[in-house]
Amino acid sequence: MNSAPDTRRNATQSQSEYTLVFFDLETTGLDVAACDIVQLSAISGEETFNLHMVPRCRMTDEASRITGFTVQGQALLLHGGPVNTVTHREALSSFIDFLRTFHRPLLVAHNAKRFDCPVLSRALDEFSLKDEFQQVVAGFLDTFLLGKELLAASKVTKYSQQYLVKLFLHKTYMAHNALEDVRALQELYNKWNPAPAMVCKQRFSL
């Protein structure tokens, strides 16, 4: 009897033990210790999640310029038009409920480790939701870091999502709208189709 491990079966098992959920945040600025979330979006296959929140701190001029979000009184505006909003607690709780609909969701974002995860983690802590969140998710994956490893032998020197989408998918999209960002990221990831071993190597937790 051959007792050598079946590497193909192991690879299949590693792919089926989680569900990829691509997520993105739009925020009031780039200070991970102080910025507030104004948009939280996610996608897995055809299933999408998208909620907006009125920030509890001032948006930087640069963030408004890039995202199109502004605040007028207690209203959030996108390119001058009002946007339906929920509270931050409602948004985070709804996000957890959305993630529960998937088998061991692995959350994927571009620059996740440096930005999205610290911001999300701080928000979850604020509303005492981190334990509940961590019971649901299988971990995180940063496509910025994944791309750098995947393309290490190439001549690629820029790793912004916009650049990579244009390079590999030959198109542009409405960047800095979180829902459009996650749609583009899912398509980019599917184009890359990284090996399960590389995904496993790059996985991390809060």
Side-chain angles (χ1 to χ4, degrees), residues 20 47 81 86 92 94 110 112 124 152 157-158 173 186 189 198 201 204:
L20 296 172
E47 299 298 319
V86 298
L92 293 169
S94 295
H110 205 70
L124 290 165
T157 57
K158 292 171 59 178
Y173 68 100
Q186 178 175 249
Y189 184 96
M198 185 176 291
K201 177 183 175 182
F204 66 96

Side-chain angles (χ1 to χ4, degrees), residues 134-185:
Q134 289 184 304
Q135 288 171 9
V136 174
V137 302
F140 292 89
L141 181 66
D142 188 335
T143 50
F144 177 85
L145 300 176
L146 178 68
K148 292 190 78 170
E149 180 175 359
L150 193 67
L151 305 172
S154 74
K155 295 181 180 180
V156 174
T157 57
K158 292 171 59 178
Y159 296 94
S160 73
Q161 182 173 317
Q162 280 179 276
Y163 178 79
L164 293 172
V165 165
K166 187 172 183 179
L167 180 65
F168 285 93
L169 303 179
H170 312 292
K171 69 177 187 179
T172 59
Y173 68 100
M174 193 184 300
H176 304 297
N177 176 305
L179 187 56
E180 296 305 314
D181 281 334
V182 294
R183 284 177 171 145
L185 188 60

Side-chain angles (χ1 to χ4, degrees), residues 58-97:
R58 177 184 170 275
M59 289 200 68
T60 65
D61 293 339
E62 182 69 3
S64 288
R65 184 187 67 79
I66 291 173
T67 65
F69 286 115
T70 55
V71 178
Q72 189 173 59
Q74 292 300 310
L76 180 67
L77 308 179
L78 178 58
H79 303 299
V83 178
N84 291 330
T85 59
V86 298
T87 67
H88 284 76
R89 178 181 289 279
E90 289 171 332
L92 293 169
S93 293
S94 295
F95 187 45
I96 294 171
D97 289 341

Side-chain angles (χ1 to χ4, degrees), residues 12 27 41-42 63 78 82 86 89 104 106 123 131 151 163 180 189-191 202:
T12 302
T27 63
S41 300
L78 178 58
V86 298
R89 178 181 289 279
R104 290 181 53 77
L106 177 65
D131 287 345
L151 305 172
Y163 178 79
E180 296 305 314
Y189 184 96
N190 290 339
K191 178 73 173 180
Q202 290 286 347

